Amino acid sequence: MEALIAFLQTRLAEDAAAAHAATPGPWWYNAGKQWLEGKSFESYDLTKGMEFVGYGGPHPFTGAVAGTGPADDPQSMADAAHIARHDPARALRGAEALRSLLHAYEHPETSPELPDSLNTLTTAIQRQVLEKALRLLAIAYNDHPDYRPEWAPTT
């Protein structure tokens, strides 16, 4: 379990570093916008907007995080919605939530009011439940070269 925890801590540090390096959110998109290219993009009436995932800014090039394609293409709009939904702030919240689970595994709750034998039992139960949760959450990283197949959850 120590190796899985170390693996997850490293992935979380990488995720947080990537989120901190990205353009700050919140990111957004507007499904009613249209896609423009070249000169028409540069001269477009900014009050009508453009199709991109953005974060604001006085000019479309300043505010664009990612262009996904034509606004009349359903796949392009699904891509834009997905990108905007996973902005850096959300990634950081997710990393912090997973860090909390790692902390709970490493430091299970005990009570000074309970006998040691009961604290030992509850600690074991907490770790057993959290181990399953951590194995499930690690699946998100199963494409990473350091992921080990034996970390996959058992049924």
Side-chain angles (χ1 to χ4, degrees):
M1 212 35 212
E2 287 179 28
L4 175 58
I5 289 175
F7 172 81
L8 287 170
Q9 288 171 332
T10 302
R11 300 296 75 76
L12 292 174
E14 293 168 350
D15 289 350
H20 283 296
T23 302
W27 292 356
W28 52 270
Y29 83 106
N30 184 337
K33 309 287 179 164
Q34 64 181 344
W35 179 259
L36 300 169
E37 296 182 15
K39 293 282 183 198
S40 61
F41 188 88
E42 294 173 14
S43 63
Y44 188 69
D45 178 359
L46 295 179
T47 62
K48 294 181 183 176
M50 284 64 57
E51 177 45 49
F52 58 86
V53 176
Y55 65 93
H59 189 276
F61 291 119
T62 334
V65 173
T68 60
D72 61 352
D73 177 19
Q75 186 60 57
S76 171
M77 299 315 300
D79 293 346
H82 176 75
I83 292 167
R85 183 180 180 111
H86 295 279
D87 75 3
R90 180 179 176 161
L92 291 169
R93 289 190 306 271
E96 188 55 37
L98 188 45
R99 277 193 194 101
S100 295
L101 289 175
L102 290 169
H103 179 80
Y105 180 86
E106 293 176 318
H107 306 283
E109 292 181 18
T110 58
S111 172
E113 298 172 10
L114 296 175
D116 287 345
S117 60
L118 196 50
N119 275 323
T120 300
L121 177 64
T122 59
T123 295
I125 292 169
Q126 289 174 63
R127 284 201 167 139
Q128 183 179 17
V129 170
L130 288 167
E131 178 179 343
K132 183 169 185 162
L134 294 172
R135 287 176 183 275
L136 289 167
L137 291 167
I139 292 172
Y141 300 101
N142 72 358
D143 59 346
H144 190 279
D146 294 339
Y147 180 85
R148 297 180 190 171
E150 63 264 22
W151 292 337
T154 57
T155 54

